[in-house]
Amino acid sequence: MADEINLDDAINKWIKKVKSASELSEADRLDINMAGADVFEKALRDETNAKHRSSHKDESFGHAADNIGKYAPKGLSKDSGVKLGSFLVGWKNRYHAMNMLRLNDGTKKIIGDHFVTNLRQNSTVRSEMLKAEKERYDEILRKKGDD
């Protein structure tokens, strides 16, 4: 009978785990979201290289695929639509951002291929992002001492 689990102990352990999971600090939330942003950044870089890598050598700006980064938005209001504690993934300078916008959405003379839009909606990329975020979340919980 030594293997019996006391119901009160099991419930208390579960309540403690749920409480610690719901009380993540801002740094923990940023860390979890960073894991997902890393996955999307790599996928966006790979997609940009695959579909839009050119032989043009731009001395001042470089290639768009080499200038992708992630940013934590600062100073946004709650009405901006971007949740605080999240990351934006995109191009580091306006020159590349505008060119990629034109390639993605199209213009009168360019047919858009929607490579960024399709990547955002890609279920494989989304599941990889969630997997990375879950792994980071579980690691944070283990550090807190919860199993």
Side-chain angles (χ1 to χ4, degrees):
M1 295 284 183
D3 292 338
E4 288 184 27
I5 298 174
N6 185 350
L7 183 59
D8 288 338
D9 292 338
I11 290 174
N12 287 333
K13 184 177 179 182
W14 178 78
I15 289 173
K16 181 181 174 192
K17 183 176 182 179
V18 169
K19 185 176 178 183
S20 70
S22 67
E23 295 175 347
L24 290 175
S25 69
E26 182 75 21
D28 289 341
R29 286 195 303 264
L30 281 171
D31 200 19
I32 291 167
N33 287 333
M34 175 71 91
D38 287 339
V39 171
F40 187 76
E41 180 183 16
K42 182 186 178 315
L44 183 59
R45 185 171 287 116
D46 292 344
E47 191 76 7
T48 304
N49 272 323
K51 293 195 174 183
H52 296 289
R53 176 58 83 172
S54 67
S55 60
H56 175 70
K57 302 281 188 227
D58 190 332
E59 298 297 324
S60 58
F61 291 111
H63 193 275
D66 301 330
N67 288 289
I68 295 173
K70 54 190 158 305
Y71 315 92
K74 295 177 183 158
L76 298 175
S77 66
K78 290 183 180 180
D79 299 330
S80 66
V82 178
K83 294 181 181 177
L84 298 179
S86 61
F87 284 89
L88 301 175
V89 176
W91 287 269
K92 294 178 183 177
N93 64 48
R94 193 175 203 163
Y95 172 79
H96 291 304
M98 293 305 295
N99 284 339
M100 293 301 111
L101 175 73
R102 290 180 192 108
L103 288 172
N104 185 65
D105 295 345
T107 64
K108 286 182 178 180
K109 296 183 180 183
I110 299 172
I111 297 173
D113 64 355
H114 309 292
F115 74 105
V116 177
T117 306
N118 293 338
L119 188 65
R120 283 185 190 133
Q121 296 171 354
N122 187 319
S123 61
T124 305
V125 173
R126 293 181 93 147
S127 65
E128 288 174 8
M129 288 171 62
L130 285 173
K131 182 181 175 188
E133 289 172 348
K134 183 185 181 315
E135 287 172 0
R136 186 64 192 126
Y137 173 75
D138 290 342
E139 187 178 317
I140 289 170
L141 287 184
R142 278 193 298 278
K143 284 182 182 177
K144 288 184 173 188
D146 295 334
D147 294 325

